[in-house]
Amino acid sequence: MPDSVGELGEFGLIGAVTARLPQGPDVLLGPGDDSAVVAAPDGRVVVTTDLLVENRHFRRDWSDAVDIGHKAAAQNLSDIEAMGARPTSLVVGLGVPADLPVSWALGLASGLGDEAALVGASVVGGDVVRSPLVVVSVTALGSLDGGPAVTRSGARPGDVVAVCGRLGWAEAGYQVLSRGFRTPRAVVEAHRRPAVPYGAGVEAASLGATAMCDVSDGLLGDLGHVAVASGVVIDVSASAVTVAPQLKEVASALGADPLSWVLTGGDDNALVACFPAEVSLPERWTVIGVVSSGEPGVTVDGASYGSAGGHDHFAGS
Amino acid sequence: MPDSVGELGEFGLIGAVTARLPQGPDVLLGPGDDSAVVAAPDGRVVVTTDLLVENRHFRRDWSDAVDIGHKAAAQNLSDIEAMGARPTSLVVGLGVPADLPVSWALGLASGLGDEAALVGASVVGGDVVRSPLVVVSVTALGSLDGGPAVTRSGARPGDVVAVCGRLGWAEAGYQVLSRGFRTPRAVVEAHRRPAVPYGAGVEAASLGATAMCDVSDGLLGDLGHVAVASGVVIDVSASAVTVAPQLKEVASALGADPLSWVLTGGDDNALVACFPAEVSLPERWTVIGVVSSGEPGVTVDGASYGSAGGHDHFAGS
């Protein structure tokens, strides 16, 4: 096989990529036609899309192709989870420089396919084009399987707020990599590949979650979207938020505040949801706050938090 | 409103764009949450995606933002049509340089939304990120409404081959623009904004089309995909292919062969389909060839055609 995608050509690359992508039970017609056909058993389909641009959302010198594929899939699958849905499929648009190694493109495909397979979803189609820098667009589809869609707008005063999954880990990894380090490995790997709490979205919906979103921009920023959409105040209790010992160690070495990573760091793709107070939550959900009435917004221990805005993809890095 | 998308910010831009996007009857939950929810009435969803990169798939000095939006939507809606399906929705990823005028981004959104509205589809969600050059990813969803998916693999010896929509027009426009001209307007506009024969895909399916695809890479190239997928020979009759007088005029002025534009030019998003010979076709379908058995491939008047390969997105412009 040629070394670069330019030598291999569009159709050659599509063929090589497609061969790495097993098709799951929801796929009625897989890659190779004008469109794919996917099951939508209850007559509804959940859909979300993200665009990742090299040097903005990932760096080829910080993450390998497999990790970037995992991360690109994970952040979209997480958006499906956040509706209380089960991911069924992905379609991927890939822009590649002509000199990109074929092995890189195949690694990306493997990462995308393997992450999707964690939830039984499949990469069912895509597009490959030439681009001066690597661009990856991922669209995920999901099924609610007869259940309710959990939006951001249903939180009610009296609800509790709970989180499932890691927070602050990807930010810690980003801070480490930004300073030129490659360790500690646990946080660097958390930056490279989020650990989405798959299945927790459907679980939350079945437990009666009133509102939910995934934490991609930062806990307080994303809770801010829920607060505004629901017209409520969300107060987070700092003492209830888990700051892992590993994060404390890294923060101490870097002279940083690990709580701020947990409260405002993005890209971990945890899920945060509101539940009626009487709901008994499984162990992987941690109650971190409460919902009350008032001017919509988010507070920490009853007060506004310094850098609570989350990151704006235009302004931040 | 600020002049540039960098000043307006991610959330400001998303808000301004979303305000331009009316939501149609298939939209169960529109923009603003982690994912959208769209109707998939027969329990299946048709999905396709394309990635467009500035200076590769469009040029901002050749086409305005509204035209680029129309074209980006059209080429995806056409891929839904090519399955015999009805487009229901689009999601869009948009990468923008910080100095991009807000008016450009809003124009793109208008073009996307207006093209989708031609078929009753809606832009239901998306992502906006910073990028050094403009990148547009579009994913389209569609419904088969209980009908069969028409793939590329069902053509049978004895079928007729028919085309619906324009061929060669976008290529003529491209040739004109490449030489620095801006007229004739009809072909330049055909390059900027394809005239997809909406509804013809569902029509073909209901008439019993055995195979179908949209003409994005060039008639002979795309028929080649059908021939290989179906394991048949497709012979196109040159005298049956319509070469519009406008194309002849432009080709004469440029010293080019207009038939080659019709046979190999891309981006018009016509539909080409195979039908049992006894089917009575509506007037907008023109029979241009026949299907027979043999070594899979495409011929013109029984012989191979010089530049029949269609364009490879890596090699061509």
Side-chain angles (χ1 to χ4, degrees), chain B residues 68-156:
Chain B
I68 293 166
H70 274 276
K71 187 168 184 165
Q75 71 181 58
N76 280 277
L77 297 169
S78 173
D79 279 325
I80 298 292
E81 288 271 341
M83 304 307 291
R86 172 180 62 85
T88 56
S89 57
L90 302 176
V91 291
V92 178
L94 176 60
V96 292
D99 64 356
L100 187 78
V102 170
S103 59
W104 198 96
L106 297 181
L108 184 84
S110 290
L112 287 161
D114 289 350
E115 187 74 20
L118 292 176
V119 285
S122 315
V123 180
V124 298
D127 188 23
V128 179
V129 301
R130 184 94 75 86
S131 167
L133 73 177
V134 177
V135 178
V136 185
S137 80
V138 179
T139 301
L141 305 185
S143 172
L144 289 159
D145 295 331
V150 182
T151 68
R152 298 174 175 184
S153 60
R156 295 168 305 189

Side-chain angles (χ1 to χ4, degrees), chain A residues 160-167 200 203 207 219 223 235-243 262 270-275 279-290:
Chain A
V160 298
V161 180
V163 68
C164 180
R166 299 190 302 198
L167 288 173
E203 179 177 75
L207 289 165
L219 177 65
L223 278 178
D235 185 54
V236 173
S237 166
S239 64
V241 171
T242 308
V243 181
V262 171
L271 288 175
V272 64
C274 302
F275 296 91
V279 170
S280 173
L281 290 171
E283 198 178 345
R284 64 171 163 171
W285 289 90
T286 303
V287 173
I288 59 163
V290 294

Side-chain angles (χ1 to χ4, degrees), chain B residues 38-54:
Chain B
V38 178
D42 71 359
R44 297 173 295 172
V45 60
V46 180
V47 57
T48 184
T49 196
D50 275 320
L51 185 61
L52 288 83
V53 178
E54 178 171 18

Side-chain angles (χ1 to χ4, degrees), chain A residues 82-135:
Chain A
M83 305 306 292
R86 171 180 63 84
T88 56
S89 57
L90 302 176
V91 290
V92 178
L94 175 60
V96 292
D99 64 356
L100 187 78
V102 170
S103 59
W104 198 96
L106 297 182
L108 183 85
S110 290
L112 286 161
D114 289 351
E115 186 74 21
L118 292 176
V119 285
S122 315
V123 180
V124 298
D127 188 25
V128 178
V129 301
R130 184 95 76 86
S131 167
L133 72 178
V134 178
V135 178

Side-chain angles (χ1 to χ4, degrees), chain B residues 12 25 69 94 100 113 177 184 213 224 252-253 257 269 274 280 294:
Chain B
L94 176 60
L100 187 78
L177 286 162
C213 72
S252 168
D257 171 17
N269 299 111
C274 301
S280 172

Side-chain angles (χ1 to χ4, degrees), chain A residues 5 9-11 28-29 32-41 43-51 53 56-57 79-80 82-83 91-96 124 126-133 135 137 139 141 151-152 212-214 217 225 312-314, chain B residues 5 9-11 28-29 32-41 43-51 53 56-57 79-80 82-83 91-96 124 126-133 135 137 139 141 151-152 212-214 217 225 312-314:
Chain A
V5 298
E10 179 193 5
F11 294 119
L28 305 175
L29 179 70
D33 221 295
D34 291 87
S35 303
V37 185
V38 178
R44 298 173 295 171
V45 60
V46 180
V47 58
T48 183
T49 196
D50 275 321
L51 184 61
V53 178
R56 184 101 203 144
H57 302 97
D79 279 324
I80 298 292
M83 305 306 292
V91 290
V92 178
L94 175 60
V96 292
V124 298
D127 188 25
V128 178
V129 301
R130 184 95 76 86
S131 167
L133 72 178
V135 178
S137 79
T139 300
L141 305 185
T151 67
R152 298 175 175 183
M212 181 157 53
C213 72
D214 90 319
D217 292 342
H225 301 313
D312 184 308
H313 290 292
F314 282 180
Chain B
V5 298
E10 179 193 4
F11 295 119
L28 305 175
L29 179 69
D33 221 294
D34 291 87
S35 303
V37 185
V38 178
R44 297 173 295 172
V45 60
V46 180
V47 57
T48 184
T49 196
D50 275 320
L51 185 61
V53 178
R56 184 101 202 141
H57 302 98
D79 279 325
I80 298 292
M83 304 307 291
V91 291
V92 178
L94 176 60
V96 292
V124 298
D127 188 23
V128 179
V129 301
R130 184 94 75 86
S131 167
L133 73 177
V135 178
S137 80
T139 301
L141 305 185
T151 68
R152 298 174 175 184
M212 182 156 53
C213 72
D214 90 319
D217 292 343
H225 301 314
D312 184 309
H313 291 294
F314 281 1

